Amino acid sequence: METILAIVIGGLYGTGLYLMMRRSMVKLVLGLALLAHAANLLIFVGGRLVRGVPPLVANGAIAPPDGSADPLPQALVLTAIVIGFGVQAFLLVLLKRGYTLMRTDDLDDMRTTET
Amino acid sequence: MISGFALAVAAPWLSRIAGKHGGNLLAMLPAVLFAYFLGLVQPVTGAGPISEITRWVPTLGVDLSFRVDGLSLIFCLLITGVGTAVIAYTGAYLASHEQLGRLQAYLLAFMASMLGLVLSDNLLALFVFWELTAFTSYLLIGFKHHEDKSRGSALQAMLVNGLGGLCLLAGVILLSNIGGNTSIVALIGQADAIRAHPHYLAALLLVLMGAFTKSAQFPFHFWLPGAMAAPSPVSAYLHSATMVKAGVYLLARLSPVLGMTPEWVGIIAPIGALTMLIGAVMAFFLTDLKQILAYTTVSMLGALVMLVGINTQESMAAAMVLLIVHSLYKGTLFLVTGSVEHGAGTREIGELGGLRRAMPLTAAIASIAALSMAGVPPMLGFISKELWYESSLQLALGGIPLVAASVVANGLGFALAGVVAYGVFFGKPAHPDPHPHDPNFAMSAGPLLLAGLGLVAGLFPGLLIEPLTGAALTAMAFDASHYHLALWHGINPAFALSLLTFALGAALYTGRERVVANLGRLAGMGRYGPKRLYELSIQKSLAYARFQTNLLQSGYLRSYVMVVVLTSVVMVGLSVTWDKVQSIVVPALDVRLHEVLLAVVILGAALMMARIGASLAAVAALGVVGYGVALMFYLFSAPDLAMTQLSVETLSVILFVLVLRSLPEAKSLSSRSTRIRDALVAATAGGLMTLFLLIVLSEPFQSRLSGYFNENSAPLANGRNVVNVILVDYRAFDTMGEITVLAVAAIGVYALLKMRKGEGGSR
Amino acid sequence: MNSLILSTATRLLLPLMLLYSVFLLIRGHNEPGGGFVGGLVAASAIALIKFSSGLERARAALRFDPITLVGTGLLFAFASGLLPLVAGMPFLTALWWDQKIPVLLKAGTPVLFDLGVYVLVVGVVLTMIFALSEE
């Protein structure tokens, strides 16, 4: 199963980077979103996969059950998801603002600082 | 002492408040400090140095250890004394200038750093203050920042001093490594070991680089005349009386550590002598009062360095006296130049003459100072010159060139003193301003005081100068118990040399015009000097920077992405060896159909995005990827992640739709071949990541932290959701940083919004 | 974008979603949930009003300027870090109150921290959505 996920992650990286190399700014942001997914999954899978045993302590117990998933990568990814969202939203606002100022989505037309 | 320094540090703030009330109020601060240091003379000369230590960066051995001994006391008195005169003068000189407060703030900040420099016993702290003086000097030279020339000169001074500062830092570190200590006092104790150390020469050269750049020694002398772009009082203070002497101070301070070696004498004395000659000769050919003073300053700095280089008790004493006298008369003359420019409207000596009648007080001040400069008895200048000649005469055969150079330089100095004082104030009246006038009291008091001190100190050398220089000699590890200063040393070879100097000077003064006319062409040689080298190197490095920028920064984001991707592919690719690929163990978890289907859906949606690009369909596909990833999280025991990802995905799809609504339908902008190339690069990178992950998964898993987290969550942290406990408790600091990032992003969005509104209003 | 179904559904869903978000926040310490998810859900609820009844109604429903919420949230989180400092412990050390409070089960600085995260996330998300919805 990890192999399949590794391929998915590779695919996400590939498509994300490809989109980032386009001239359109929207595609850049889309690509960045894919890249974020790829990175999150990478960390998650790198922390080893476990089915159906979340790192929760049962009521009355002291520690999570044996063989439960590693909580640390999950905490890291959780942070990354939210930060990724914040950055993406900022980029979108920037994109929209850039478009209203310059009337173009083409990054090559945005090389001057003059509007 | 520390309180005095702290007060000075707060001075910029004070001056902003008091700026409008004139410079006199601000001059109180240096005046009080001067009185304070004057009060220290008795205890220091009597009972020895006073020191006080505050730990600052203990791990690096940087302490704010202040120490007052004779040497630093001389400097402190000069800094605060000349500072008082200069700051009072500035208030009147630039009274109508709207940014007077700024200038005074800089001046006070400079004074504070300069005091720190001469009081620090710690080499690293000394370096910090050293750089601070360079920095404030930069601000002061560039005070008229709307003028190209000022900015250029400021930059030049900054770069030259910056170069020296870096060398000094290296030297200081080397020195403290050799000696195992950063305290100068402690290093003096180990002087023998340091002088015998194989790295001695390197340390010496590095320290000398620092001292030579600061004190404008050849071949770094050119920045000082350039620095005259600053207002006259600044020139008087920094570039004549105090800052440029910091190099001399450093040499004197370190002479007990590094001095008394053939290298010391062999390097420093000739360079000092050379600078002395060059400065004097160049000054001789100039016509701008301020430039003349600048080059004579270079010349005298050369003399000081030479005397410190000779490094005998007599030469050190001569250096100290010369230092004091030079600060007194040169500071005065710079201020007088400011007054002349103020009153008569020009600094060109050709256009000035006979100002005596219109500006009697200024003329008197200038004459006293010039007499000291010329070294005529009974001025202090005469004493210093006598000591200077005596100490050079004591040298063996090698001293003859030094003596000759000294006589020539002093002769030129004598002639120039005549030019500056006699030519301008006496002789034929000639000036463009029809109504020259004496400046007001605040502008005259300072120079008068400084010039007067030169006279009084010459008449009664035993009063203040003798104990001070004596204590300074002790600080430089000489035995000063039999040291005595006197105006009249009797008829000896030194006196003969003085007479020779006067004769030479008088001849040069009367013949000046003829000499200048005949040799004036040679002065053009200066064009090929070190200044040209400096300019060339600046041009070249700018050109190189431009070339590099064009090469690396094409301005196309996608080429940056490409470069980054390719670099990482190569770097990661290099670490992925065939062995590692072969050692991949396909991990244990079994394959389940619904999970595979999900994986296919994610991958398919991503590929679709790559094909269709920017449209609502692509956003929908992104949503599919996001929800798919969320499901994956859920399937593999991460309910928190799944929930967060689901909510985030929903919101981000909303945001995307909101944005894309207002954008036109995207079209394909790149050619087919570009797309294929990019696809290949991206696919390689993606494939490499797959491989990389597989290799990682083949390694045994180690999770040292998670065990701790798991065991302690419920009992200690009162939470049974370990992920959440990590976020809000164990690693709350990370989360804190994260939410700060979010807040910044939100504020950024908010600012963009406000900006739009603001523009809408103005349009 | 004025759909009757959507606005009716919003009216029904809104209290539920807000309640659910608070529920997520509170139970987050023991079960899946927490400030991040809670905040996102609450923000979605307000965003729903925006889509059903327009930006002005959404702003009115929120009562606060979202950017104020950002600051408030950050302040809460920071305050939770400062409290132990007052007690002489390192920044952000978790402090727990001995008495149990009926609803929150337990009160301690991590709860305050999580509350800060919640408020901040609501503020951030809504700042952005409102920004993009203007014009």
Side-chain angles (χ1 to χ4, degrees), chain B residues 725-749:
Chain B
V725 172
I726 292 179
L727 285 178
V728 300
D729 198 333
Y730 297 132
R731 312 290 309 151
F733 206 71
D734 293 356
T735 313
M736 186 92 182
E738 179 207 356
I739 58 178
T740 311
V741 171
L742 281 181
V744 169
I747 291 168
V749 167

Side-chain angles (χ1 to χ4, degrees), chain A residues 54-86:
Chain A
L56 300 172
V57 184
N59 213 342
I62 290 178
D66 280 345
S68 63
D70 193 337
L72 186 60
Q74 293 197 13
L76 292 179
V77 172
L78 189 75
T79 318
I81 291 173
V82 184
I83 288 206
F85 170 73

Side-chain angles (χ1 to χ4, degrees), chain A residues 22 48 50-51 70 78 111, chain B residues 554 595 637 678 699 706:
Chain A
R22 304 294 92 218
R48 299 305 187 267
V50 171
R51 275 203 192 92
D70 193 337
L78 189 75
R111 290 182 63 209
Chain B
S554 54
E595 290 166 1
S637 316
D678 293 350
E699 302 281 326
S706 299

Side-chain angles (χ1 to χ4, degrees), chain A residues 54 56-57 78-79 82 85-90 92-93 96 100, chain C residues 30-33 36-37 40 121 124-125 128 131-135:
Chain A
L56 300 172
V57 184
L78 189 75
T79 318
V82 184
F85 170 73
V87 171
Q88 184 183 320
F90 180 74
L92 281 170
V93 176
K96 187 171 170 187
T100 37
Chain C
N30 291 322
E31 305 288 332
F36 281 113
V37 195
L40 290 168
V121 168
V124 169
V125 172
M128 300 192 168
L132 286 169
S133 323
E134 293 216 337
E135 287 169 325

